[in-house]
Amino acid sequence: MDIRIPNYENKENANGICEGFTTGAGAKIKITKDSLNKAVGLFADEELLFNMDVEDVDIKSNNSHKDSRHGLKQIVSDDSINKNIQYEKINKSESINTNKINTENRILHRSAKKRLGISRCKQFSVSTEKLKRAESLFEDCQENKSNQNVREFQNSNNINVPLKFNPPQIHTSTPLKSVPSKIKNTMLETIRENPLMSTNITPVKRSSFKDTFEYKNTESSNNVVVQEQTKGGLEDWVNKIDKEFEELQNRMEILLERKKALQKQKQIIESADDQYKRPKLGVLLTKKQSSHKISLQEFLNNQTPNTISVIEAMDLNISKTVLDVTPNNAQNIHFNCKNNFVINTTDGAIIIPNSDNLVGASEIKVAFTSMHGVDSKLLPNGWISNHFKWIVWKLASLERNFPDVFPDCLSLENVIQQLKYRYDREIDRAERPALRRILEKDDVPQKRMVLCVSDIIKVSDHSFELELTDGWYAIRTLIDQPLCKQIFISKIKIGTKLIVQCAEILNCEGCHPLNIPDHVKLKINYNCTRRAHWNSKLGYQKIAEPFPIKLKTIHPDGGLVACIKIQIVRVYPLRYMERHERNTVWRNKRAEEKRIQEWESQKLKDIEMIRQKVQNDYEKEIHVRKEDLPLLSNGNCNIKEIYSPKLLYQMLESTNDPEGLKSILSSSQISAAMEYRANMFNCRQQEITNRISEQINKLKCTQRDVVSILRLRIVDITESSSDSFFLSIWKPTEDHLQLLKEGCAFTVYNVLPKQNKNLSTTGRTHFKREVNPMKEMNRNQRVLLPISKLQDCKILFNEYDTVGTVVQIHKKPHSQELWLTDGNGRVLLIKISERSELCCLLDNLSRGQNVAIMNLVHYQLQDTFGQAIANQYTIITSYPQHKFLQDGLTTYCEQLPKDLTLILNECDKKIDLCIANMQFSKSHVPSSTGSASSPSSVFDDSSEDNTLIPSRLTTTDVAMSLIDI
């Protein structure tokens, strides 16, 4: 096999003569091609020591101004190669006689010059000093060495040069008069870099040794390497070359097939054949429509995902790449298709691997757009890459979590089927996924939907953002601090499915999900977000209404609560909040009624004073106007000719004898004057009214900012816990008061959490009556607890209802006390930590009166008496509305004697003794309806939101309440 050493230029004239040689004087030497081939044959028979590339040598003649470049193509025969190989083996021996080699080299170069026709001359050598001077002459030359030579020979036959070697003594017969810079650089580099050249030589017109030799071991910096000898013989090497040639032929066939397929795909994509691009159902959608579908959980026989290690994956033939697939690197996944010309899928896609026999998103894009039934013009930019990413992540997750059920799930066939399925649904059928409908403003994000965490973005040390996907598209999502905490404790991580509701889309005016601006984000909160089951279907759910959450899982900083299921165990009386400029005042219902009466009375007094003042001021103004009117000075004849009502009225007002003037006037004049007078009177009254209204509006007491609040104690009906919460309804309507009864169960939508287990309604809050409440609801019903049994009974919610007889009433400037007895000598002290103007409970009570009391807060019991707290939610009455209190009070009254004087006197003595011995500190009295710590905290005003919008019952709430009745 001939290996050619290429040259840069080999110009021949029309006669086939190579114009490449000249004499020392510049005369051209014409050599025919045949002669040149014979010369090459002579060189091939020699035992070549080195295999060199022949470089161009430009020689400028002294007599000619033209530069000519000549090239020589040398052909080396197989025999010469074998000889070189043998010589190479000899060079590896450390016992080579260097003197012999030097002699052979000199003879070789002399014979070569003789055959080229170069004359002999006397030998001479160059000293080291002169050589350095020559090097300095070449320092100003530019190093413009050609790197375009193609060395086929050196790649297959590298010569290992011995370490100790005396180079040949090279001589020249003719000095170089004008050497081009290229030759200077070549010779200079030969001297500097070639380890085979001695520094005491004269450069000649020949190729550089540096360019001649290249070594296979490029990793080593040495020019000489040590490695094992080539195994096998000549026949083995020929077989190896034949095998490589066969592989190249097979590779060429594969490339040709792929080229034809690519050209065909290009024609399909560029063609306008509408028939070919008409919609055609894919394999996956056809199967889903024609066969009975089962859920993934049924198919897996209730298996759960298992996280496997790398060693386990190797045992199951799962590649580490599949284990490492994430949404961030899924787009870079490639399939190895080394043994395939093209890949044909069931859906008709023809996939052509790239030059590295790999198939990725780019190759799938070309194959998919050329499929039958796919119109590439309908695909948005980036559609295939986006869905390829989510499909690869999905299939890889199934394979690594269920390797026994889904082996080799991540395959080209499955990717194409999933991609065609999405095309059929989203493009052909216009069945858009949830996030696309939300971003295009065709649906709302408040519906119940399941999204998957595809990325977690750290914004700061304690703040995160999520990237959520519905399996088709993704969107950046803002979260609150409680959700950030779930990320810290690894409750939320990449791959976690979240079921969300009442989400918000921010700064969105409509866009495609592949072109989402940076400022468009989704917003979710903790109280409307929960982790979903691993096999939950992504996107909108069939049941779009909000899902209920447990009351104990509500976080006060977690935002709106979309839905809760509750039972009302206590309905407290209305409470009223009056806003002032600097503070707010709370009153119970009876205190508010008294305040309204006082306010109305004061308002009437102020209005009367203002009216009287305004009227007096206005009459003074009218009197001044009358004095300014001109007196009557015309005769009777002139008066009868006056027809202006205003002038006639002014004449009547200004005259001292109105009756005399009327006798002169005609009936029509009198009628016009009287009509004008009536109109003026009405105008004056309207003016007085307007002035009074202006003065009244300036008074602060004419307007009151009062809001009513209905408070409910509720429990969760989704669990059996007895923990209770408070729900405050702002500005309740009559429908609320009629519908919300104790013992009823409701589904409540859209409430806001507050501190200390408090919830509050909003303008969007509505109630839905539960038709079939739980059986356990009766356990929280009210019961009558006599005073004598306070020590023996369990007090539910730390509140109780009782009956008794009034013994003593004490009203202080900032507190009130009531002593009660049960008729058996047991007394109860009821402490009210507010003055009567705010908590009016004792106004209509008298000594010896039998009363029923509701919503007493239990405080403590002593040996001789008990203590309780009454607040603005407490009711003290002789005519209770609840049936159990009516029956209990009736029974209690029947057991008492008719004359209570003796009982009351004994109770007075006991009370005096109790007062003398007790230490009832105000700081120890409870103040919360649900606790008994201090009287000032019976109700927590700070938990009430004064700025909330009042809730309203919907027509559905009213209709449901009527049905349940």
Side-chain angles (χ1 to χ4, degrees):
M1 179 173 128
D2 294 339
I3 301 175
R4 298 178 181 274
I5 302 177
N7 62 329
Y8 289 105
E9 295 180 3
N10 187 14
K11 299 181 180 179
E12 297 180 357
N13 58 13
N15 299 325
I17 299 174
C18 178
E19 301 177 352
F21 297 93
T22 60
T23 63
K28 295 183 179 180
I29 300 175
K30 297 183 178 180
I31 302 175
T32 62
K33 195 170 185 179
D34 294 336
S35 300
L36 185 62
N37 291 336
K38 290 179 181 180
V40 171
L42 293 176
F43 280 103
D45 294 335
E46 295 290 335
E47 293 183 0
L48 296 179
L49 177 61
F50 306 107
N51 297 307
M52 302 180 296
D53 291 341
V54 180
E55 297 183 348
D56 296 334
V57 180
D58 296 338
I59 303 175
K60 186 174 181 181
S61 175
N62 295 333
N63 302 325
S64 176
H65 298 285
K66 296 182 180 179
D67 294 337
S68 60
R69 293 186 178 180
H70 309 280
L72 176 65
K73 181 181 291 186
Q74 181 177 358
I75 303 176
V76 184
S77 63
D78 293 339
D79 295 336
S80 300
I81 297 174
N82 295 333
K83 292 178 181 179
N84 292 334
I85 295 173
Q86 293 176 1
Y87 186 82
E88 178 183 353
K89 294 180 179 179
I90 295 173
N91 288 339
K92 292 181 181 178
S93 175
E94 295 182 359
S95 61
I96 295 178
N97 189 345
T98 56
N99 296 328
K100 183 179 179 180
I101 294 176
N102 295 338
T103 304
E104 291 177 354
N105 290 336
R106 286 194 292 271
I107 296 171
L108 173 63
H109 288 283
R110 289 197 199 101
S111 62
K113 292 180 180 180
K114 288 174 64 177
R115 290 171 183 172
L116 288 174
I118 302 176
S119 60
R120 296 173 178 266
C121 66
K122 186 177 179 179
Q123 300 181 8
F124 65 92
S125 60
V126 181
S127 64
T128 305
E129 181 180 357
K130 293 182 179 180
L131 184 60
K132 292 181 178 179
R133 291 177 59 188
E135 289 180 2
S136 63
L137 296 175
F138 295 103
E139 289 179 357
D140 58 341
C141 299
Q142 294 183 352
E143 295 184 1
N144 187 18
K145 192 173 182 180
S146 173
N147 294 322
Q148 300 178 355
N149 294 19
V150 180
R151 303 177 179 87
E152 298 178 1
F153 180 77
Q154 66 187 16
N155 292 334
S156 59
N157 296 281
N158 284 327
I159 299 176
N160 294 326
V161 183
L163 295 174
K164 296 181 180 180
F165 180 74
N166 292 328
Q169 298 296 328
I170 303 175
H171 306 278
T172 180
S173 60
T174 307
L176 299 177
K177 297 181 179 181
S178 178
V179 183
S181 60
K182 180 176 180 180
I183 300 177
K184 294 179 182 179
N185 296 336
T186 302
M187 292 189 293
L188 183 59
E189 270 193 48
T190 302
I191 295 171
R192 289 178 178 175
E193 300 181 8
N194 198 316
L196 302 181
M197 296 287 294
S198 176
T199 57
N200 56 353
I201 62 172
T202 302
V204 297
K205 300 175 285 185
R206 62 180 301 163
S207 300
S208 169
F209 283 94
K210 178 178 181 296
D211 294 336
T212 303
F213 295 97
E214 291 187 4
Y215 302 95
K216 289 184 179 179
N217 189 8
T218 58
E219 295 180 359
S220 176
S221 60
N222 298 325
N223 293 329
V224 180
V225 296
V226 178
Q227 65 179 18
E228 295 183 359
Q229 296 183 0
T230 306
K231 296 181 180 180
L234 182 61
E235 185 177 353
D236 296 331
W237 299 341
V238 172
N239 293 335
K240 183 178 180 181
I241 293 174
D242 292 340
K243 184 177 180 181
E244 293 178 357
F245 182 75
E246 184 179 355
E247 291 178 354
L248 290 175
Q249 283 184 331
N250 295 335
R251 177 65 176 166
M252 183 63 68
E253 293 178 1
I254 293 174
L255 294 177
L256 290 175
E257 291 292 334
R258 291 178 179 175
K259 181 179 179 180
K260 292 179 182 178
L262 284 173
Q263 291 175 347
K264 184 177 180 181
Q265 287 182 341
K266 182 178 180 182
Q267 294 176 358
I268 293 173
I269 294 173
E270 294 177 353
S271 65
D273 188 1
D274 296 335
Q275 188 69 23
Y276 184 82
K277 298 178 181 180
R278 289 185 61 184
K280 177 184 177 182
L281 288 183
V283 175
L284 193 56
L285 184 58
T286 304
K287 289 181 180 179
K288 287 190 175 184
Q289 290 181 344
S290 59
S291 60
H292 174 67
K293 295 188 296 183
I294 62 174
S295 65
L296 180 62
Q297 191 72 10
E298 294 176 2
F299 180 75
L300 296 173
N301 294 325
N302 297 322
Q303 294 185 31
T304 56
N306 295 321
T307 303
I308 61 177
S309 62
V310 178
I311 299 177
E312 293 174 344
M314 294 175 62
D315 296 338
L316 297 171
N317 294 326
I318 300 176
S319 66
K320 188 177 182 299
T321 304
V322 175
L323 296 178
D324 296 337
V325 172
T326 63
N328 293 329
N329 62 17
Q331 280 188 332
N332 299 326
I333 293 298
H334 285 72
F335 298 88
N336 195 343
C337 306
K338 185 175 182 180
N339 300 323
N340 300 93
F341 292 169
V342 295
I343 299 97
N344 296 293
T345 65
T346 310
D347 272 314
I350 301 175
I351 306 174
I352 304 169
N354 60 14
S355 58
D356 296 326
N357 295 317
L358 299 176
V359 174
S362 302
E363 290 73 27
I364 288 178
K365 178 181 179 181
V366 175
F368 186 78
T369 52
S370 62
M371 280 178 58
H372 180 48
V374 175
D375 189 354
S376 60
K377 296 180 181 178
L378 301 178
L379 297 177
N381 187 24
W383 188 90
I384 295 178
S385 299
N386 171 73
H387 288 289
F388 174 81
K389 166 184 174 180
W390 302 119
I391 291 171
V392 167
W393 187 38
K394 170 186 174 182
L395 297 178
S397 300
L398 289 174
E399 182 173 342
R400 64 194 177 203
N401 286 286
F402 303 99
D404 298 333
V405 183
F406 298 105
D408 300 326
C409 183
L410 182 56
S411 63
L412 276 175
E413 178 65 33
N414 289 336
V415 170
I416 292 297
Q417 287 190 16
Q418 291 280 339
L419 201 59
K420 185 62 169 65
Y421 172 77
R422 295 182 178 220
Y423 178 88
D424 293 339
R425 292 197 59 187
E426 184 179 0
I427 305 301
D428 283 346
R429 297 193 171 192
E431 297 176 359
R432 296 171 296 169
L435 288 182
R436 181 175 176 182
R437 289 160 63 182
I438 292 172
L439 289 168
E440 292 178 347
K441 307 296 288 185
D442 291 329
D443 216 324
V444 294
Q446 285 77 19
K447 292 182 180 179
R448 184 194 302 190
M449 58 182 173
V450 176
L451 301 174
C452 184
V453 179
S454 57
D455 197 8
I456 298 176
I457 303 98
K458 188 174 183 180
V459 180
S460 63
D461 293 338
H462 302 286
S463 180
F464 295 89
E465 290 184 9
L466 298 178
E467 183 188 67
L468 298 181
T469 176
D470 59 356
W472 296 60
Y473 299 100
I475 186 172
R476 192 85 169 256
T477 306
L478 300 177
I479 58 176
D480 52 17
Q481 284 301 318
L483 284 177
C484 291
K485 184 179 179 181
Q486 299 301 310
I487 297 176
F488 272 112
I489 62 178
S490 299
K491 292 290 186 179
I492 296 178
K493 50 190 175 182
I494 295 178
T496 303
K497 289 185 177 180
L498 302 177
I499 180 168
V500 300
Q501 57 192 1
C502 294
E504 299 179 58
I505 188 74
L506 305 178
N507 308 319
C508 182
E509 297 180 357
C511 64
H512 194 276
L514 294 178
N515 301 313
I516 303 177
D518 295 337
H519 60 272
V520 175
K521 295 181 180 180
L522 193 69
K523 183 180 179 181
I524 60 176
N525 59 66
Y526 175 84
N527 290 330
C528 290
T529 305
R530 291 294 181 268
R531 289 187 298 170
H533 199 259
W534 70 268
N535 61 352
S536 299
K537 188 176 180 181
L538 295 177
Y540 281 131
Q541 302 299 293
K542 292 182 178 179
I543 302 176
E545 67 180 16
F547 58 88
I549 64 173
K550 296 181 179 180
L551 291 178
K552 66 180 182 181
T553 64
I554 295 175
H555 197 286
D557 299 327
L560 184 73
V561 179
C563 179
I564 52 175
K565 289 184 176 292
I566 63 167
Q567 180 204 7
I568 301 175
V569 294
R570 297 291 183 269
V571 178
Y572 297 102
L574 288 175
R575 191 171 173 225
Y576 298 86
M577 181 189 70
E578 182 177 4
R579 297 187 183 96
H580 297 284
E581 291 182 355
R582 298 183 179 179
N583 62 347
T584 58
V585 178
W586 295 87
R587 297 184 180 90
N588 67 345
K589 185 176 181 180
R590 189 175 299 176
E592 177 64 19
E593 292 174 351
K594 292 179 63 176
R595 175 57 185 157
I596 291 175
Q597 293 177 359
E598 294 174 358
W599 180 80
E600 291 289 347
S601 176
Q602 184 64 34
K603 181 180 178 180
L604 291 176
K605 292 180 180 178
D606 294 338
I607 292 175
E608 181 63 25
M609 291 176 61
I610 292 172
R611 188 191 64 80
Q612 187 67 32
K613 182 176 181 301
V614 169
Q615 190 170 1
N616 294 336
D617 294 342
Y618 192 76
E619 288 179 354
K620 291 179 180 179
E621 293 179 6
I622 296 299
H623 182 69
V624 173
R625 292 176 187 176
K626 288 182 179 180
E627 293 179 352
D628 294 339
L629 291 176
L631 297 175
L632 180 63
S633 60
N634 297 328
N636 295 336
C637 60
N638 294 333
I639 292 176
K640 292 182 178 180
E641 294 177 357
I642 297 173
Y643 296 99
S644 173
K646 180 178 180 181
L647 184 56
L648 292 172
Y649 171 74
Q650 291 178 353
M651 292 171 61
L652 289 173
E653 289 292 326
S654 61
T655 183
N656 295 326
D657 186 12
E659 294 297 330
L661 182 58
K662 288 181 180 180
S663 62
I664 300 173
L665 298 176
S666 63
S667 58
S668 59
Q669 288 177 323
I670 295 174
S671 300
M674 292 297 105
E675 183 178 355
Y676 184 81
R677 182 180 181 181
N679 292 335
M680 287 298 297
F681 179 79
N682 294 333
C683 291
R684 289 175 181 176
Q685 292 297 323
Q686 185 65 35
E687 179 67 18
I688 293 173
T689 304
N690 293 338
R691 292 187 180 186
I692 293 174
S693 299
E694 291 178 1
Q695 295 296 325
I696 291 175
N697 292 333
K698 293 179 181 180
L699 294 177
K700 297 180 179 180
C701 64
T702 56
Q703 295 180 353
R704 296 183 68 225
D705 187 4
V706 180
V707 180
S708 60
I709 299 97
L710 176 64
R711 198 177 201 190
L712 310 175
R713 185 186 287 272
I714 59 176
V715 294
D716 197 338
I717 64 175
T718 61
E719 57 181 2
S720 58
S721 175
S722 60
D723 293 340
S724 63
F725 292 74
F726 292 107
L727 176 62
S728 299
I729 303 174
W730 291 75
K731 292 185 178 180
T733 63
E734 290 296 328
D735 294 330
H736 282 108
L737 299 177
Q738 294 179 6
L739 179 66
L740 304 177
K741 301 296 183 181
E742 292 183 3
C744 298
F746 292 90
T747 300
V748 188
Y749 300 95
N750 302 323
V751 296
L752 282 176
K754 301 296 177 183
Q755 301 293 333
N756 302 325
K757 294 184 177 182
N758 284 278
L759 302 175
S760 182
T761 59
T762 67
R764 297 183 298 163
T765 302
H766 66 278
F767 297 81
K768 179 181 177 182
R769 181 79 176 269
E770 289 291 333
V771 180
N772 297 319
M774 297 174 59
K775 296 180 180 180
E776 298 181 359
M777 290 184 178
N778 296 328
R779 65 180 180 177
N780 296 320
Q781 286 184 347
R782 291 180 181 267
V783 293
L784 182 64
L785 188 61
I787 298 176
S788 58
K789 295 183 179 180
L790 293 177
Q791 294 180 341
D792 302 331
C793 296
K794 180 181 179 181
I795 300 176
L796 190 62
F797 306 127
N798 203 41
E799 294 179 353
Y800 62 91
D801 306 329
T802 187
V803 293
T805 303
V806 177
V807 180
Q808 292 182 10
I809 299 174
H810 303 283
K811 292 184 179 181
K812 300 178 181 180
H814 300 289
S815 63
Q816 307 171 70
E817 291 181 357
L818 172 65
W819 287 90
L820 207 67
T821 182
D822 60 355
N824 297 324
R826 186 73 178 179
V827 294
L828 176 66
L829 173 60
I830 300 174
K831 185 73 174 180
I832 305 172
S833 59
E834 294 174 300
R835 62 183 186 271
S836 60
E837 290 81 4
L838 301 179
C839 184
C840 185
L841 296 176
L842 310 179
D843 287 4
N844 299 327
L845 298 183
S846 59
R847 179 181 173 87
Q849 182 179 353
N850 299 323
V851 295
I853 306 178
M854 294 180 63
N855 305 324
L856 278 176
V857 180
H858 178 65
Y859 178 47
Q860 64 181 5
L861 294 174
Q862 296 185 6
D863 295 337
T864 56
F865 69 99
Q867 297 184 45
I869 303 297
N871 52 40
Q872 293 179 359
Y873 297 118
T874 304
I875 299 176
I876 303 177
T877 179
S878 298
Y879 305 97
Q881 297 180 356
H882 291 76
K883 179 66 175 175
F884 78 98
L885 283 179
Q886 293 176 359
D887 298 338
L889 185 60
T890 301
T891 304
Y892 173 76
C893 293
E894 292 176 354
Q895 296 174 356
L896 291 176
K898 295 181 179 179
D899 188 6
L900 298 176
T901 305
L902 182 60
I903 296 176
L904 294 177
N905 292 334
E906 293 178 356
C907 290
D908 288 338
K909 295 179 182 180
K910 186 176 291 188
I911 291 172
D912 294 338
L913 182 62
C914 293
I915 293 175
N917 296 329
M918 75 173 182
Q919 295 178 353
F920 191 78
S921 177
K922 185 181 293 186
S923 60
H924 294 161
V925 182
S927 70
S928 173
T929 308
S931 90
S933 301
S934 65
S936 61
S937 62
V938 172
F939 44 85
D940 187 4
D941 295 343
S942 62
S943 65
E944 307 288 357
D945 190 352
N946 300 342
T947 62
L948 289 177
I949 304 173
S951 62
R952 295 177 177 83
L953 283 176
T954 62
T955 55
T956 305
D957 298 332
V958 178
M960 293 300 296
S961 66
L962 295 177
I963 293 174
D964 294 338
I965 290 175

